[in-house]
């Protein structure tokens, strides 16, 4: 992801970390590009609290609380356009229609010549036998890890809710977004890398293609 940012936008990018969560992309951007400036945007107050805390004193990073599903969300950003918009394992929470709308909005947020890079779950429905075998393998591995005491998503949220530094933000998250401990579920959709590339071109990006893939995930780059 960051190699592509360097190749196409240079060594001092203005980056929007979209649906930033705890800010892990921001951390990597600032470590790689000393002259970068970043904006982390997310709707989850608990994850943003962690992001702000782990980047305390970092003047190159800004943080914005907002909902990508709101039509006017770009007005919350400190800059009208960015060299790069980066996001990871987040946009599968959206259904196809809203995701297409978001890509059209991002075509205005990314400056001409800039990039949007989306790394996410990108299944390929044309290989059902491969998919079934890999899903079974991954499920077995996760079950073994859980039996060995590894913490899962629900356990992580339980612990976060008990942490004094996070309790208030987690309570707000549970009230406004959902409570993973009680089993909140997304109604979003996961699409193939080819689907994302076509949707980006339809949204106004001049070029788009997959630049990385694993058996279950992919990374698609759109050039504005």
């Amino acid at each position: 992801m960051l190699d592509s940012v360097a190749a196409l936008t240079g060594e001092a990018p203005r980056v929007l970390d979209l649906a930033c969560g705890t800010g892990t992309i921001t951390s990597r951007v600032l470590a790689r590009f000393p002259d970068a400036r970043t904006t982390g945007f997310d709707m989850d107050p608990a994850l943003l609290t962690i992001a702000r805390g782990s980047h305390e004193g970092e003047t190159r990073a800004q943080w914005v609380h907002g909902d990508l599903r709101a039509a006017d969300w770009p007005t919350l950003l400190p800059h009208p356009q960015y060299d790069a918009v980066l996001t990871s394992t987040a946009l599968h929470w959206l259904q196809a229609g809203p995701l297409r709308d978001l890509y059209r909005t991002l075509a205005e947020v990314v400056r001409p010549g800039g990039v949007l890079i989306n790394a996410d779950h990108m299944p390929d429905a044309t290989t059902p036998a491969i998919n079934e075998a890999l899903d079974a393998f991954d499920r077995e591995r996760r079950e073994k890890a859980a039996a060995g005491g590894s913490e899962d998503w629900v356990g992580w949220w339980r612990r976060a809710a008990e942490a004094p530094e996070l309790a208030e933000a987690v309570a707000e998250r549970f009230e406004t977004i959902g409570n993973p401990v009680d089993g909140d579920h997304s109604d979003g959709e996961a699409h193939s890398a080819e689907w994302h590339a076509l949707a980006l071109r339809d949204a106004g990006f001049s070029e788009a293609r997959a630049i990385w893939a694993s058996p279950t995930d992919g990374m698609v780059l759109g050039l504005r």
Side-chain angles (χ1 to χ4, degrees):
M1 180 182 279
L2 300 188
D3 285 347
S4 298
V5 172
L8 289 161
T9 73
E11 295 291 330
R14 178 181 290 171
V15 174
L16 173 59
D17 185 355
L18 192 70
C20 63
T22 58
T24 53
I25 288 179
T26 291
S27 297
R28 286 160 172 77
V29 168
L30 296 178
R32 171 72 177 268
F33 305 111
D35 295 323
R37 294 294 184 271
T38 64
T39 303
F41 186 98
D42 204 283
M43 68 181 296
D44 191 322
L47 300 185
L48 275 177
T49 297
I50 295 173
R52 289 189 176 101
S54 61
H55 294 85
E56 187 174 3
E58 176 53 78
T59 60
R60 296 173 295 166
Q62 295 177 276
W63 306 97
V64 178
H65 183 222
D67 189 342
L68 290 175
R69 297 169 298 183
D72 63 346
W73 72 265
T75 63
L76 301 174
L77 300 174
H79 308 291
Q81 289 191 314
Y82 288 79
D83 301 304
V85 175
L86 309 179
T87 185
S88 178
T89 53
L91 301 189
H92 65 274
W93 290 94
L94 298 174
Q95 293 186 334
L99 180 54
R100 287 183 182 275
D101 292 340
L102 177 62
Y103 278 162
R104 284 189 283 270
T105 299
L106 290 171
E108 302 299 321
V109 174
V110 177
R111 67 160 175 82
V115 298
L116 163 65
I117 304 177
N118 177 19
D120 208 339
H121 307 311
M122 296 185 183
D124 187 340
T126 67
T127 58
I130 294 173
N131 297 347
E132 183 179 358
L134 290 169
D135 287 346
F137 180 83
D138 182 61
R139 184 168 55 253
E140 182 180 357
R141 179 169 52 189
R142 284 186 282 109
E143 289 172 352
K144 287 181 178 178
S150 293
E151 185 174 56
D152 62 9
W153 181 238
V154 171
W156 186 91
W157 276 108
R158 285 199 180 101
R159 202 154 51 85
E162 296 168 356
E165 305 91 333
L166 295 174
E168 183 177 348
V170 171
E172 180 184 350
R173 194 268 188 204
F174 287 178
E175 181 177 351
T176 59
I177 300 175
N179 185 343
V181 176
D182 293 335
D184 64 330
H185 298 285
S186 165
D187 60 355
E189 301 170 341
H191 304 281
S192 69
E194 290 77 12
W195 185 96
H196 285 277
L198 179 59
L200 286 168
R201 290 194 291 270
D202 288 344
F205 287 82
S206 62
E207 297 180 11
R209 55 159 291 192
I211 58 170
W212 176 88
S214 77
T216 56
D217 300 336
M219 187 184 299
V220 172
L221 183 152
L223 175 65
R224 186 66 178 89

